[in-house]
PDB file of all heavy atoms in Angstrom:
ATOM      1  N   GLU S   1      -3.629   2.255  14.753  1.00 95.00           N
ATOM      2  CA  GLU S   1      -4.287   1.762  13.656  1.00 95.00           C
ATOM      3  C   GLU S   1      -4.699   2.944  12.722  1.00 95.00           C
ATOM      4  O   GLU S   1      -4.788   2.708  11.515  1.00 95.00           O
ATOM      5  CB  GLU S   1      -5.646   0.923  14.116  1.00 95.00           C
ATOM      6  CG  GLU S   1      -5.265  -0.370  14.681  1.00 95.00           C
ATOM      7  CD  GLU S   1      -6.579  -1.235  14.954  1.00 95.00           C
ATOM      8  OE1 GLU S   1      -7.555  -0.716  14.381  1.00 95.00           O
ATOM      9  OE2 GLU S   1      -6.565  -2.146  15.629  1.00 95.00           O
ATOM     10  N   SER S   2      -5.113   3.939  13.177  1.00 95.00           N
ATOM     11  CA  SER S   2      -5.448   5.199  12.399  1.00 95.00           C
ATOM     12  C   SER S   2      -4.283   5.562  11.483  1.00 95.00           C
ATOM     13  O   SER S   2      -3.256   6.017  12.016  1.00 95.00           O
ATOM     14  CB  SER S   2      -5.962   6.369  13.296  1.00 95.00           C
ATOM     15  OG  SER S   2      -6.024   7.530  12.546  1.00 95.00           O
ATOM     16  N   LEU S   3      -4.455   5.531  10.181  1.00 94.00           N
ATOM     17  CA  LEU S   3      -3.505   6.028   9.245  1.00 94.00           C
ATOM     18  C   LEU S   3      -3.222   7.570   9.437  1.00 94.00           C
ATOM     19  O   LEU S   3      -2.089   8.009   9.394  1.00 94.00           O
ATOM     20  CB  LEU S   3      -3.783   5.744   7.817  1.00 94.00           C
ATOM     21  CG  LEU S   3      -3.765   4.270   7.485  1.00 94.00           C
ATOM     22  CD1 LEU S   3      -4.310   4.113   6.112  1.00 94.00           C
ATOM     23  CD2 LEU S   3      -2.358   3.698   7.556  1.00 94.00           C
ATOM     24  N   LYS S   4      -4.219   8.291   9.784  1.00 94.00           N
ATOM     25  CA  LYS S   4      -4.084   9.802   9.851  1.00 94.00           C
ATOM     26  C   LYS S   4      -3.258  10.051  11.119  1.00 94.00           C
ATOM     27  O   LYS S   4      -2.272  10.875  11.089  1.00 94.00           O
ATOM     28  CB  LYS S   4      -5.457  10.419  10.095  1.00 94.00           C
ATOM     29  CG  LYS S   4      -5.329  11.890  10.188  1.00 94.00           C
ATOM     30  CD  LYS S   4      -6.828  12.499  10.255  1.00 94.00           C
ATOM     31  CE  LYS S   4      -6.643  14.151  10.333  1.00 94.00           C
ATOM     32  NZ  LYS S   4      -7.940  14.714  10.349  1.00 94.00           N
ATOM     33  N   GLU S   5      -3.427   9.272  12.151  1.00 96.00           N
ATOM     34  CA  GLU S   5      -2.611   9.555  13.320  1.00 96.00           C
ATOM     35  C   GLU S   5      -1.154   9.028  13.078  1.00 96.00           C
ATOM     36  O   GLU S   5      -0.238   9.711  13.624  1.00 96.00           O
ATOM     37  CB  GLU S   5      -3.177   8.746  14.512  1.00 96.00           C
ATOM     38  CG  GLU S   5      -4.503   9.417  14.968  1.00 96.00           C
ATOM     39  CD  GLU S   5      -5.141   8.578  16.126  1.00 96.00           C
ATOM     40  OE1 GLU S   5      -4.409   7.812  16.847  1.00 96.00           O
ATOM     41  OE2 GLU S   5      -6.362   8.747  16.391  1.00 96.00           O
ATOM     42  N   ALA S   6      -1.032   7.907  12.513  1.00 96.00           N
ATOM     43  CA  ALA S   6       0.232   7.309  12.206  1.00 96.00           C
ATOM     44  C   ALA S   6       0.994   8.281  11.307  1.00 96.00           C
ATOM     45  O   ALA S   6       2.210   8.509  11.482  1.00 96.00           O
ATOM     46  CB  ALA S   6       0.151   6.026  11.503  1.00 96.00           C
ATOM     47  N   CYS S   7       0.408   8.903  10.236  1.00 95.00           N
ATOM     48  CA  CYS S   7       1.100   9.831   9.426  1.00 95.00           C
ATOM     49  C   CYS S   7       1.658  10.995  10.168  1.00 95.00           C
ATOM     50  O   CYS S   7       2.710  11.532  10.007  1.00 95.00           O
ATOM     51  CB  CYS S   7       0.213  10.230   8.290  1.00 95.00           C
ATOM     52  SG  CYS S   7      -0.023   8.863   7.007  1.00 95.00           S
ATOM     53  N   SER S   8       0.677  11.541  11.116  1.00 95.00           N
ATOM     54  CA  SER S   8       1.056  12.712  11.888  1.00 95.00           C
ATOM     55  C   SER S   8       2.334  12.400  12.797  1.00 95.00           C
ATOM     56  O   SER S   8       3.236  13.150  12.893  1.00 95.00           O
ATOM     57  CB  SER S   8      -0.100  13.057  12.786  1.00 95.00           C
ATOM     58  OG  SER S   8       0.261  14.091  13.625  1.00 95.00           O
ATOM     59  N   ILE S   9       2.252  11.184  13.344  1.00 97.00           N
ATOM     60  CA  ILE S   9       3.421  10.758  14.246  1.00 97.00           C
ATOM     61  C   ILE S   9       4.806  10.750  13.448  1.00 97.00           C
ATOM     62  O   ILE S   9       5.714  11.256  13.885  1.00 97.00           O
ATOM     63  CB  ILE S   9       3.204   9.494  14.870  1.00 97.00           C
ATOM     64  CG1 ILE S   9       2.073   9.593  15.982  1.00 97.00           C
ATOM     65  CG2 ILE S   9       4.486   8.928  15.496  1.00 97.00           C
ATOM     66  CD1 ILE S   9       1.561   8.324  16.492  1.00 97.00           C
ATOM     67  N   VAL S  10       4.670  10.128  12.217  1.00 97.00           N
ATOM     68  CA  VAL S  10       5.940   9.911  11.405  1.00 97.00           C
ATOM     69  C   VAL S  10       6.363  11.367  10.947  1.00 97.00           C
ATOM     70  O   VAL S  10       7.619  11.582  10.964  1.00 97.00           O
ATOM     71  CB  VAL S  10       5.721   8.940  10.409  1.00 97.00           C
ATOM     72  CG1 VAL S  10       6.996   8.817   9.507  1.00 97.00           C
ATOM     73  CG2 VAL S  10       5.428   7.633  10.850  1.00 97.00           C
ATOM     74  N   SER S  11       5.434  12.098  10.565  1.00 95.00           N
ATOM     75  CA  SER S  11       5.774  13.414   9.978  1.00 95.00           C
ATOM     76  C   SER S  11       6.568  14.267  11.013  1.00 95.00           C
ATOM     77  O   SER S  11       7.471  15.073  10.663  1.00 95.00           O
ATOM     78  CB  SER S  11       4.538  14.160   9.457  1.00 95.00           C
ATOM     79  OG  SER S  11       4.085  13.386   8.230  1.00 95.00           O
ATOM     80  N   LYS S  12       5.977  14.154  12.225  1.00 96.00           N
ATOM     81  CA  LYS S  12       6.567  14.996  13.303  1.00 96.00           C
ATOM     82  C   LYS S  12       8.030  14.538  13.685  1.00 96.00           C
ATOM     83  O   LYS S  12       8.719  15.321  14.335  1.00 96.00           O
ATOM     84  CB  LYS S  12       5.651  14.986  14.597  1.00 96.00           C
ATOM     85  CG  LYS S  12       4.290  15.689  14.449  1.00 96.00           C
ATOM     86  CD  LYS S  12       3.452  15.613  15.668  1.00 96.00           C
ATOM     87  CE  LYS S  12       2.226  16.363  15.494  1.00 96.00           C
ATOM     88  NZ  LYS S  12       1.323  16.190  16.651  1.00 96.00           N
ATOM     89  N   ALA S  13       8.315  13.503  13.288  1.00 96.00           N
ATOM     90  CA  ALA S  13       9.825  13.044  13.429  1.00 96.00           C
ATOM     91  C   ALA S  13      10.703  13.731  12.576  1.00 96.00           C
ATOM     92  O   ALA S  13      12.065  13.689  12.868  1.00 96.00           O
ATOM     93  CB  ALA S  13       9.916  11.471  13.329  1.00 96.00           C
ATOM     94  N   GLU S  14      10.238  14.522  11.623  1.00 96.00           N
ATOM     95  CA  GLU S  14      11.056  15.183  10.754  1.00 96.00           C
ATOM     96  C   GLU S  14      12.310  14.487  10.174  1.00 96.00           C
ATOM     97  O   GLU S  14      13.411  14.894  10.209  1.00 96.00           O
ATOM     98  CB  GLU S  14      11.532  16.510  11.508  1.00 96.00           C
ATOM     99  CG  GLU S  14      10.498  17.502  11.857  1.00 96.00           C
ATOM    100  CD  GLU S  14      11.023  18.816  12.467  1.00 96.00           C
ATOM    101  OE1 GLU S  14      12.240  18.761  13.001  1.00 96.00           O
ATOM    102  OE2 GLU S  14      10.206  19.723  12.447  1.00 96.00           O
ATOM    103  N   LEU S  15      11.894  13.375   9.542  1.00 97.00           N
ATOM    104  CA  LEU S  15      12.956  12.485   8.943  1.00 97.00           C
ATOM    105  C   LEU S  15      13.563  13.159   7.724  1.00 97.00           C
ATOM    106  O   LEU S  15      12.996  13.846   6.950  1.00 97.00           O
ATOM    107  CB  LEU S  15      12.338  11.138   8.595  1.00 97.00           C
ATOM    108  CG  LEU S  15      11.617  10.380   9.722  1.00 97.00           C
ATOM    109  CD1 LEU S  15      10.898   9.155   9.071  1.00 97.00           C
ATOM    110  CD2 LEU S  15      12.602   9.923  10.720  1.00 97.00           C
ATOM    111  N   ASP S  16      14.818  12.810   7.530  1.00 97.00           N
ATOM    112  CA  ASP S  16      15.470  13.118   6.286  1.00 97.00           C
ATOM    113  C   ASP S  16      15.233  12.025   5.165  1.00 97.00           C
ATOM    114  O   ASP S  16      15.167  12.344   3.962  1.00 97.00           O
ATOM    115  CB  ASP S  16      17.040  13.161   6.433  1.00 97.00           C
ATOM    116  CG  ASP S  16      17.367  14.295   7.436  1.00 97.00           C
ATOM    117  OD1 ASP S  16      17.089  15.536   7.063  1.00 97.00           O
ATOM    118  OD2 ASP S  16      17.964  13.947   8.391  1.00 97.00           O
ATOM    119  N   ILE S  17      14.993  10.789   5.654  1.00 98.00           N
ATOM    120  CA  ILE S  17      14.801   9.615   4.794  1.00 98.00           C
ATOM    121  C   ILE S  17      14.035   8.534   5.639  1.00 98.00           C
ATOM    122  O   ILE S  17      14.175   8.346   6.754  1.00 98.00           O
ATOM    123  CB  ILE S  17      16.160   9.114   4.275  1.00 98.00           C
ATOM    124  CG1 ILE S  17      15.926   8.014   3.236  1.00 98.00           C
ATOM    125  CG2 ILE S  17      17.014   8.804   5.326  1.00 98.00           C
ATOM    126  CD1 ILE S  17      17.196   7.571   2.542  1.00 98.00           C
ATOM    127  N   LEU S  18      13.068   7.968   4.874  1.00 98.00           N
ATOM    128  CA  LEU S  18      12.298   6.967   5.430  1.00 98.00           C
ATOM    129  C   LEU S  18      12.506   5.568   4.668  1.00 98.00           C
ATOM    130  O   LEU S  18      12.211   5.647   3.383  1.00 98.00           O
ATOM    131  CB  LEU S  18      10.815   7.299   5.527  1.00 98.00           C
ATOM    132  CG  LEU S  18       9.785   6.253   5.986  1.00 98.00           C
ATOM    133  CD1 LEU S  18      10.146   5.808   7.399  1.00 98.00           C
ATOM    134  CD2 LEU S  18       8.310   6.939   5.991  1.00 98.00           C
ATOM    135  N   PHE S  19      12.730   4.543   5.228  1.00 98.00           N
ATOM    136  CA  PHE S  19      13.036   3.300   4.600  1.00 98.00           C
ATOM    137  C   PHE S  19      12.097   2.227   4.997  1.00 98.00           C
ATOM    138  O   PHE S  19      11.933   1.921   6.272  1.00 98.00           O
ATOM    139  CB  PHE S  19      14.526   2.857   4.977  1.00 98.00           C
ATOM    140  CG  PHE S  19      14.861   1.485   4.442  1.00 98.00           C
ATOM    141  CD1 PHE S  19      14.730   1.247   3.148  1.00 98.00           C
ATOM    142  CD2 PHE S  19      15.448   0.612   5.257  1.00 98.00           C
ATOM    143  CE1 PHE S  19      15.102  -0.049   2.573  1.00 98.00           C
ATOM    144  CE2 PHE S  19      16.006  -0.656   4.660  1.00 98.00           C
ATOM    145  CZ  PHE S  19      15.676  -0.965   3.353  1.00 98.00           C
ATOM    146  N   TYR S  20      11.432   1.650   4.036  1.00 98.00           N
ATOM    147  CA  TYR S  20      10.379   0.594   4.162  1.00 98.00           C
ATOM    148  C   TYR S  20      11.153  -0.707   3.522  1.00 98.00           C
ATOM    149  O   TYR S  20      11.215  -0.890   2.373  1.00 98.00           O
ATOM    150  CB  TYR S  20       9.123   0.819   3.356  1.00 98.00           C
ATOM    151  CG  TYR S  20       8.368   1.979   3.829  1.00 98.00           C
ATOM    152  CD1 TYR S  20       8.395   3.097   3.379  1.00 98.00           C
ATOM    153  CD2 TYR S  20       7.281   1.743   4.793  1.00 98.00           C
ATOM    154  CE1 TYR S  20       7.682   4.250   3.711  1.00 98.00           C
ATOM    155  CE2 TYR S  20       6.463   2.787   5.235  1.00 98.00           C
ATOM    156  CZ  TYR S  20       6.577   3.972   4.664  1.00 98.00           C
ATOM    157  OH  TYR S  20       5.790   5.058   5.011  1.00 98.00           O
ATOM    158  N   PRO S  21      11.647  -1.571   4.473  1.00 97.00           N
ATOM    159  CA  PRO S  21      12.371  -2.804   3.895  1.00 97.00           C
ATOM    160  C   PRO S  21      11.500  -3.761   3.133  1.00 97.00           C
ATOM    161  O   PRO S  21      12.006  -4.486   2.216  1.00 97.00           O
ATOM    162  CB  PRO S  21      12.885  -3.413   5.187  1.00 97.00           C
ATOM    163  CG  PRO S  21      12.832  -2.446   6.209  1.00 97.00           C
ATOM    164  CD  PRO S  21      11.661  -1.601   5.892  1.00 97.00           C
ATOM    165  N   ASP S  22      10.174  -3.729   3.300  1.00 97.00           N
ATOM    166  CA  ASP S  22       9.342  -4.873   2.761  1.00 97.00           C
ATOM    167  C   ASP S  22       7.908  -4.532   2.331  1.00 97.00           C
ATOM    168  O   ASP S  22       7.084  -5.098   2.830  1.00 97.00           O
ATOM    169  CB  ASP S  22       9.364  -6.014   3.816  1.00 97.00           C
ATOM    170  CG  ASP S  22       8.796  -5.440   5.193  1.00 97.00           C
ATOM    171  OD1 ASP S  22       7.608  -5.448   5.425  1.00 97.00           O
ATOM    172  OD2 ASP S  22       9.741  -4.973   5.953  1.00 97.00           O
ATOM    173  N   ILE S  23       7.770  -3.465   1.583  1.00 97.00           N
ATOM    174  CA  ILE S  23       6.396  -3.088   1.280  1.00 97.00           C
ATOM    175  C   ILE S  23       5.811  -4.208   0.446  1.00 97.00           C
ATOM    176  O   ILE S  23       6.315  -4.644  -0.598  1.00 97.00           O
ATOM    177  CB  ILE S  23       6.374  -1.761   0.405  1.00 97.00           C
ATOM    178  CG1 ILE S  23       6.858  -0.552   1.286  1.00 97.00           C
ATOM    179  CG2 ILE S  23       4.956  -1.534  -0.106  1.00 97.00           C
ATOM    180  CD1 ILE S  23       7.014   0.631   0.469  1.00 97.00           C
ATOM    181  N   GLY S  24       4.587  -4.656   0.894  1.00 95.00           N
ATOM    182  CA  GLY S  24       3.933  -5.726   0.286  1.00 95.00           C
ATOM    183  C   GLY S  24       3.745  -6.924   1.287  1.00 95.00           C
ATOM    184  O   GLY S  24       2.776  -7.726   1.118  1.00 95.00           O
ATOM    185  N   MET S  25       4.552  -7.006   2.298  1.00 96.00           N
ATOM    186  CA  MET S  25       4.432  -7.949   3.327  1.00 96.00           C
ATOM    187  C   MET S  25       3.318  -7.678   4.328  1.00 96.00           C
ATOM    188  O   MET S  25       2.789  -8.685   4.932  1.00 96.00           O
ATOM    189  CB  MET S  25       5.817  -8.136   4.050  1.00 96.00           C
ATOM    190  CG  MET S  25       6.893  -8.551   3.238  1.00 96.00           C
ATOM    191  SD  MET S  25       6.845 -10.297   2.821  1.00 96.00           S
ATOM    192  CE  MET S  25       7.087 -11.021   4.499  1.00 96.00           C
ATOM    193  N   SER S  26       2.874  -6.503   4.437  1.00 95.00           N
ATOM    194  CA  SER S  26       1.915  -6.038   5.439  1.00 95.00           C
ATOM    195  C   SER S  26       0.986  -5.070   4.778  1.00 95.00           C
ATOM    196  O   SER S  26       1.480  -4.106   4.281  1.00 95.00           O
ATOM    197  CB  SER S  26       2.575  -5.470   6.584  1.00 95.00           C
ATOM    198  OG  SER S  26       1.695  -4.598   7.391  1.00 95.00           O
ATOM    199  N   PRO S  27      -0.317  -5.200   4.912  1.00 94.00           N
ATOM    200  CA  PRO S  27      -1.282  -4.301   4.449  1.00 94.00           C
ATOM    201  C   PRO S  27      -1.045  -2.989   5.150  1.00 94.00           C
ATOM    202  O   PRO S  27      -1.302  -1.875   4.388  1.00 94.00           O
ATOM    203  CB  PRO S  27      -2.675  -4.875   4.788  1.00 94.00           C
ATOM    204  CG  PRO S  27      -2.418  -6.336   4.833  1.00 94.00           C
ATOM    205  CD  PRO S  27      -1.045  -6.487   5.394  1.00 94.00           C
ATOM    206  N   TYR S  28      -0.641  -2.938   6.233  1.00 95.00           N
ATOM    207  CA  TYR S  28      -0.522  -1.605   7.036  1.00 95.00           C
ATOM    208  C   TYR S  28       0.597  -0.814   6.499  1.00 95.00           C
ATOM    209  O   TYR S  28       0.406   0.465   6.164  1.00 95.00           O
ATOM    210  CB  TYR S  28      -0.147  -1.969   8.463  1.00 95.00           C
ATOM    211  CG  TYR S  28      -0.109  -0.747   9.435  1.00 95.00           C
ATOM    212  CD1 TYR S  28      -1.324  -0.089   9.927  1.00 95.00           C
ATOM    213  CD2 TYR S  28       1.099  -0.030   9.625  1.00 95.00           C
ATOM    214  CE1 TYR S  28      -1.289   1.066  10.759  1.00 95.00           C
ATOM    215  CE2 TYR S  28       1.147   1.062  10.466  1.00 95.00           C
ATOM    216  CZ  TYR S  28      -0.084   1.676  10.968  1.00 95.00           C
ATOM    217  OH  TYR S  28       0.102   2.719  11.691  1.00 95.00           O
TER     218      TYR S  28
END
């Protein structure tokens, strides 16, 4: 639930590209 923790987890994945199929369907 913590956005700070979530951002840390995603950032550590060292992605080249991040795809959000449906921004607007979920507040999260």
Side-chain angles (χ1 to χ4, degrees):
E1 287 189 13
S2 165
L3 288 176
K4 184 176 182 179
E5 293 177 17
C7 288
S8 176
I9 291 169
V10 178
S11 296
K12 287 178 180 177
E14 296 186 338
L15 302 173
D16 297 299
I17 183 168
L18 178 56
F19 178 46
Y20 293 89
D22 54 88
I23 294 176
M25 295 287 288
S26 161
Y28 185 86

